[in-house]
Amino acid sequence: MGDTLEFNEIYQESKGSWNDGRLRFSKQNLVYKSSKTGKVDNIPAAELSQATWRRVCLGHGIKLATSTGHVYKYDGFRDTDYERISEFFKANYKVELTEKDMCVKGWNWGTAKFSGPLLSFDVNDSSVFEIPLASVSQCATGKNEVMLEFHQNDDAEVSLMEVRFYVPPGPVDEGADPVEAFAANVLSKADVIQATGDAVCVFKELQCLTPRGRYDILIYPAFLHLHGKTFDYKIPYTTVLRLFLLPHKDQRQMFFVISLDPPIKQGQTRYHFLILLFSKEEELSLTLNMSEEEVEKRYEGKLSKNMSGSLYEMVSRVMKALVNRKITVPGNFQGNTPGAQCITCSYKAQSGLLYPLERGFIYVHKPPVHLRFEEISCVNFARGTTTTRSFDFEVETKQGNQFTFSSIEREEYGKLFDFVNAKKLNIKNRGFKEGMKSKNNEYSDSDEDQHDAYLERMKAEGKIREEGDGSNDSDEETDESFNPGEESDVAEEYDSNASESGSGGDGSDDEGKNKPAKKAKVVKEKRDRKPRKEKKQKDTNAPKRPMSSYMLWLNSSRERIKSENPGISITEISKKAGEMWKQIGKDDKEGWDRKAEEAKKNYEKAMKEYRENGGGSSTPAKNERKKKAGGKKEDKKAGGKKRKSDGGEKEKEQGGNDSFKSREFISSEESSSDGERKKAKKAKGKPKSKGKESEEEEEVMTTPPSSEEDSD
């Protein structure tokens, strides 16, 4: 038999739920470590006084009692483990492992026995059930009745709420009430918080992040009392698992984190962590509400009656002494920011800080997460989903839960990877580090180096829109500042539509004046949007262009650079080659220049032969482009003629409605009468010869409306 015995998947009952863990028997002590909370039970071998083996719901279990009055129960053993454990206990602990059967008769009357922290209900000296008094939250009495209420566990599927015991009245001669005596025995060991006496010390108006608000913290010998404006919490020190003191990234504030199991409750919300935020500049002088002798006796020099210093130091020092647990601080990890021992990231859409510790990770503050290395199955470095300048850190636990810390800056990657590697955590994508390092320079200026086709297309459309808007603005300004006798911008730019802009003055209303300008806008937009050029097709038979002397040297030296620098990326090869080229001597460079010159001559010779054989002059792509270009010219000529003739016809149609004058054409001295206007109208309406008609069109197009009015 060896010096130790180890058992996996051993269960410990905690307020109605089973927590698995590992149990180890050694010559010096018995150690049980919970897989869920990481809490450790350490029982020295010298204190072990009694050991019982019994049949329970999860196979077989061991009940251990110590000389200090504590009782520990562990279940999940197999029947074959009895002999090994019994021999080990006899050889190393000098304690006999006794077998004891439970009573399964189903009787509901018997004898209540108080043995240490347990209340045992026995029938004929056989235990029916046992109640850990530490799970009792309240004890009430009635006539011949005692009612026990229990702390609730959120992890338990079924919870025991209360148990009632009927206590028969005793003989009258005894005097003591058996109900009160029963309740007193329960309350002496129960976890019932009663604020009796004065607090050891009080901290006023401390900023609390979870639960949020400002609370007065009253420190009692057995529990912590948080007193706020809306809620009060009483936290027994037995529920405190760990204490953390974490510096903020700004190096001006400190987090003090208290891990709780079971958590404190606020309605349906559960708070597994109590997080306090302090400023480093806050100072405090503290006086304990105890005598110096009592402080020395109870806390063994950890505290003194009068203390002064930073507020966060005072709180952490008092909590450490009363809870009797070590305070965890960040280790040797240093982030990218100088002096920062944490990493800025996001978890569940909330920004916070991730602290790599010596034995785990902790994230603060909303929601706080603590992950121990021993419960981590593997980690993964994933590329950021929104941008290439950040990455995600994924942690998967052995229970199958996954925690993703996103939006971590790429500069933090190297240090975080080295930290995880040093802690020997299983990394899923171990080759990812090399890939990220090789692309680090490429990503540093991705906006400039990387070609974005969508961005280029949007820029091109924006240019076209701006040009169109510019033409619209100029047309609108022309309409507003129009004066008779002056040529408009539209008339200058589009001579074929001059009659449209000019004849607006003879319209029946203001709308008729503005319509021709709108047509001019459409024409300009159509003209600005040129058809896209077809991509030039390359002739595969044409000779290739000669390379420069540098490129010739690079092609011959590429393999040598790769062999000298294993794992080098493409971008790094170019940088390295540039540096090596600068260091090459003048004679070597002249040799490569001669090779480049020779390659150039060979190219010119090959190109000449290629053209003589008919290559490059009449390719199908060129002929097709010529045909298209010729067709466009003919379309332009035809379109110009059509616009010119259309303008003359419109001028004729609009010229008939001359009875109404718009405001711009009414002069201060009206010399023309209605009769003269009628004569002018008749003269316009007479048929003319073809030659005269075209002359009249040109005259109307080039003459402003004011001059036409004067000539009439």
Side-chain angles (χ1 to χ4, degrees):
M1 182 178 293
D3 294 338
T4 60
L5 284 179
E6 289 193 13
F7 298 91
N8 295 324
E9 296 185 6
I10 301 300
Y11 295 87
Q12 184 183 42
E13 186 267 335
S14 174
K15 294 183 175 62
S17 68
W18 295 102
N19 297 331
D20 67 314
R22 298 180 63 187
L23 180 64
R24 186 184 67 189
F25 299 116
S26 65
K27 291 182 178 181
Q28 294 79 21
N29 56 8
L30 290 81
V31 179
Y32 177 81
K33 187 169 187 179
S34 172
S35 299
K36 180 188 174 185
T37 61
K39 189 176 180 181
V40 177
D41 293 339
N42 194 336
I43 308 170
E47 294 181 1
L48 189 63
S49 60
Q50 186 181 357
T52 307
W53 179 270
R54 54 189 183 171
R55 181 72 182 269
V56 291
C57 61
L58 295 176
H60 292 79
I62 288 181
K63 176 185 174 184
L64 303 173
T66 63
S67 56
T68 56
H70 294 89
V71 176
Y72 302 91
K73 293 187 290 183
Y74 304 107
D75 299 345
F77 295 96
R78 291 174 294 187
D79 190 13
T80 55
D81 296 332
Y82 171 73
E83 293 181 3
R84 295 168 57 202
I85 298 174
S86 178
E87 290 177 9
F88 190 89
F89 274 37
K90 285 180 183 178
N92 297 286
Y93 304 144
K94 309 301 180 188
V95 174
E96 186 176 353
L97 185 63
T98 58
E99 287 189 80
K100 192 172 183 180
D101 294 330
M102 305 289 289
C103 180
V104 291
K105 291 182 178 180
W107 292 4
N108 63 343
W109 67 91
T111 306
K113 293 181 179 179
F114 292 92
S115 57
L118 293 178
L119 166 60
S120 177
F121 186 78
D122 297 349
V123 174
N124 297 333
D125 293 332
S126 294
S127 179
V128 178
F129 61 83
E130 294 175 341
I131 297 176
L133 294 178
S135 300
V136 177
S137 63
Q138 193 59 261
C139 180
T141 60
K143 185 179 179 181
N144 299 333
E145 191 177 65
V146 178
M147 183 182 66
L148 306 182
E149 293 182 4
F150 301 97
H151 292 289
Q152 300 305 304
N153 192 335
D154 297 329
D155 297 330
E157 295 180 2
V158 179
S159 296
L160 178 64
M161 302 297 293
E162 66 177 39
V163 172
R164 295 191 180 193
F165 292 94
Y166 173 77
V167 182
V172 182
D173 300 337
E174 290 184 3
D177 188 0
V179 174
E180 293 297 331
F182 189 98
N185 285 326
V186 171
L187 290 173
S188 64
K189 299 292 182 180
D191 189 11
V192 179
I193 300 173
Q194 296 177 347
T196 56
D198 296 330
V200 176
C201 60
V202 179
F203 298 100
K204 293 281 188 181
E205 292 289 322
L206 296 185
Q207 184 180 354
C208 195
L209 299 181
T210 55
R212 189 174 177 183
R214 288 194 172 270
Y215 290 85
D216 293 341
I217 297 184
L218 289 76
I219 306 293
Y220 286 90
F223 66 93
L224 179 74
H225 185 193
L226 266 72
H227 176 67
K229 293 181 180 178
T230 311
F231 299 99
D232 273 14
Y233 303 100
K234 292 177 181 178
I235 305 170
Y237 295 140
T238 54
T239 65
V240 176
L241 285 180
R242 292 176 187 83
L243 302 173
F244 301 91
L245 187 61
L246 308 170
H248 198 280
K249 194 171 184 179
D250 60 9
Q251 300 178 19
R252 293 183 297 173
Q253 301 177 93
M254 297 290 289
F255 292 111
F256 186 66
V257 184
I258 303 172
S259 176
L260 304 173
D261 184 40
I264 56 176
K265 304 173 185 178
Q266 182 177 309
Q268 295 299 319
T269 309
R270 304 289 184 266
Y271 295 105
H272 291 271
F273 293 88
L274 178 66
I275 303 179
L276 303 172
L277 183 64
F278 299 98
S279 173
K280 285 187 176 182
E281 298 175 356
E282 287 186 79
E283 299 287 336
L284 178 70
S285 296
L286 184 66
T287 303
L288 300 183
N289 192 17
M290 300 169 72
S291 63
E292 290 186 6
E293 293 78 10
E294 194 176 355
V295 171
E296 182 66 28
K297 183 180 177 181
R298 182 175 292 186
Y299 302 115
E300 299 176 354
K302 296 177 182 177
L303 298 177
S304 56
K305 182 174 174 61
N306 297 307
M307 297 181 291
S308 62
S310 299
L311 179 58
Y312 73 90
E313 289 180 353
M314 294 294 101
V315 173
S316 58
R317 188 176 173 185
V318 170
M319 287 297 297
K320 181 181 178 182
L322 270 71
V323 177
N324 198 21
R325 293 196 180 275
K326 294 179 180 179
I327 295 179
T328 305
V329 296
N332 299 324
F333 178 81
Q334 290 291 332
N336 187 54
T337 306
Q341 295 180 291
C342 57
I343 295 171
T344 305
C345 61
S346 298
Y347 176 65
K348 289 187 177 180
Q350 293 287 339
S351 180
L353 300 172
L354 179 67
Y355 290 84
L357 307 174
E358 287 300 316
R359 295 185 179 179
F361 295 100
I362 186 169
Y363 172 83
V364 289
H365 73 101
K366 193 175 180 182
V369 178
H370 180 230
L371 298 168
R372 291 172 287 114
F373 289 156
E374 58 197 28
E375 64 178 337
I376 293 175
S377 171
C378 61
V379 298
N380 182 35
F381 293 88
R383 300 194 183 278
T385 54
T386 55
T387 176
T388 57
R389 297 184 182 277
S390 64
F391 68 94
D392 298 348
F393 182 58
E394 299 171 354
V395 180
E396 190 174 333
T397 63
K398 293 175 182 176
Q399 287 78 23
N401 301 322
Q402 185 168 337
F403 300 87
T404 302
F405 304 99
S406 57
S407 303
I408 303 175
E409 296 178 359
R410 295 186 69 87
E411 290 77 9
E412 305 281 4
Y413 171 76
K415 302 204 174 168
L416 183 58
F417 184 91
D418 293 339
F419 175 82
V420 171
N421 208 19
K423 296 300 177 184
K424 297 180 180 179
L425 296 177
N426 184 22
I427 302 174
K428 269 189 178 180
N429 49 353
R430 190 165 282 276
F432 181 60
K433 183 176 182 182
E434 287 74 14
M436 288 191 65
K437 281 192 174 179
S438 63
K439 295 192 176 182
N440 195 17
N441 295 327
E442 182 181 341
Y443 286 144
S444 60
D445 276 330
S446 59
D447 294 339
E448 297 177 8
D449 298 340
Q450 197 171 356
H451 177 73
D452 192 343
Y454 178 75
L455 183 63
E456 296 297 329
R457 185 160 61 104
M458 296 304 295
K459 285 181 179 177
E461 289 179 5
K463 276 186 180 178
I464 293 171
R465 226 179 281 116
E466 284 177 8
E467 290 173 0
D469 293 343
S471 64
N472 294 349
D473 295 342
S474 63
D475 290 338
E476 287 166 11
E477 288 170 8
T478 305
D479 291 340
E480 290 171 4
S481 60
F482 177 77
N483 289 317
E486 295 178 5
E487 292 184 359
S488 67
D489 294 338
V490 178
E492 290 175 3
E493 197 161 339
Y494 305 104
D495 293 336
S496 60
N497 292 331
S499 58
E500 295 176 13
S501 60
S503 59
D506 297 332
S508 59
D509 55 2
D510 291 341
E511 290 181 6
K513 179 180 70 174
N514 292 332
K515 281 178 184 176
K518 288 181 181 178
K519 289 180 182 178
K521 293 175 195 174
V522 175
V523 172
K524 184 173 182 183
E525 283 184 8
K526 286 182 179 177
R527 283 188 178 184
D528 285 342
R529 293 187 182 179
K530 297 178 181 179
R532 293 182 180 177
K533 293 181 180 180
E534 290 186 4
K535 195 173 179 181
K536 188 176 179 180
Q537 296 179 357
K538 291 184 178 181
D539 191 355
T540 54
N541 298 324
K544 292 185 179 179
R545 290 182 178 274
M547 287 188 287
S548 63
S549 56
Y550 169 71
M551 290 305 296
L552 288 171
W553 170 84
L554 178 59
N555 284 345
S556 65
S557 306
R558 192 185 302 275
E559 295 300 325
R560 180 167 58 85
I561 295 172
K562 284 183 180 179
S563 62
E564 291 176 358
N565 302 276
I568 192 169
S569 64
I570 297 173
T571 52
E572 292 293 334
I573 287 174
S574 302
K575 286 186 177 179
K576 188 74 176 174
E579 294 172 2
M580 292 172 67
W581 178 254
K582 288 178 182 177
Q583 296 173 2
I584 288 178
K586 187 177 180 182
D587 296 338
D588 293 338
K589 281 188 179 180
E590 286 178 358
W592 289 106
D593 289 340
R594 285 194 295 271
K595 289 182 181 180
E597 193 66 32
E598 187 178 346
K600 186 178 180 183
K601 289 177 182 178
N602 292 337
Y603 168 74
E604 290 173 356
K605 185 178 178 182
M607 198 67 188
K608 187 177 180 182
E609 292 176 0
Y610 173 71
R611 285 173 181 160
E612 287 174 358
N613 294 331
S617 56
S618 59
T619 57
K622 268 193 176 181
N623 294 336
E624 194 175 340
R625 284 198 296 274
K626 283 181 181 179
K627 284 179 184 179
K628 284 186 179 179
K632 286 177 186 174
K633 287 180 181 178
E634 291 176 6
D635 291 343
K636 281 184 183 177
K637 288 180 181 179
K641 289 179 181 179
K642 190 175 182 182
R643 283 194 295 274
K644 196 169 183 182
S645 60
D646 289 346
E649 288 172 9
K650 285 178 184 175
E651 197 274 334
K652 281 184 181 181
E653 290 173 6
Q654 291 174 358
N657 190 12
D658 202 20
S659 60
F660 177 80
K661 279 188 186 178
S662 75
R663 235 176 289 173
E664 287 93 346
F665 292 95
I666 298 175
S667 59
S668 57
E669 297 177 1
E670 288 200 10
S671 59
S672 59
S673 63
D674 293 340
E676 288 173 347
R677 282 198 297 276
K678 285 179 183 179
K679 286 179 183 179
K681 188 178 178 184
K682 287 179 182 178
K684 283 182 183 178
K686 287 180 182 181
K688 296 181 182 179
S689 62
K690 191 174 183 181
K692 288 181 179 179
E693 186 177 347
S694 61
E695 288 175 5
E696 187 179 7
E697 284 178 11
E698 290 176 9
E699 197 175 72
V700 170
M701 287 164 62
T702 55
T703 310
S706 57
S707 60
E708 186 181 338
E709 194 70 36
D710 293 340
S711 64
D712 289 342

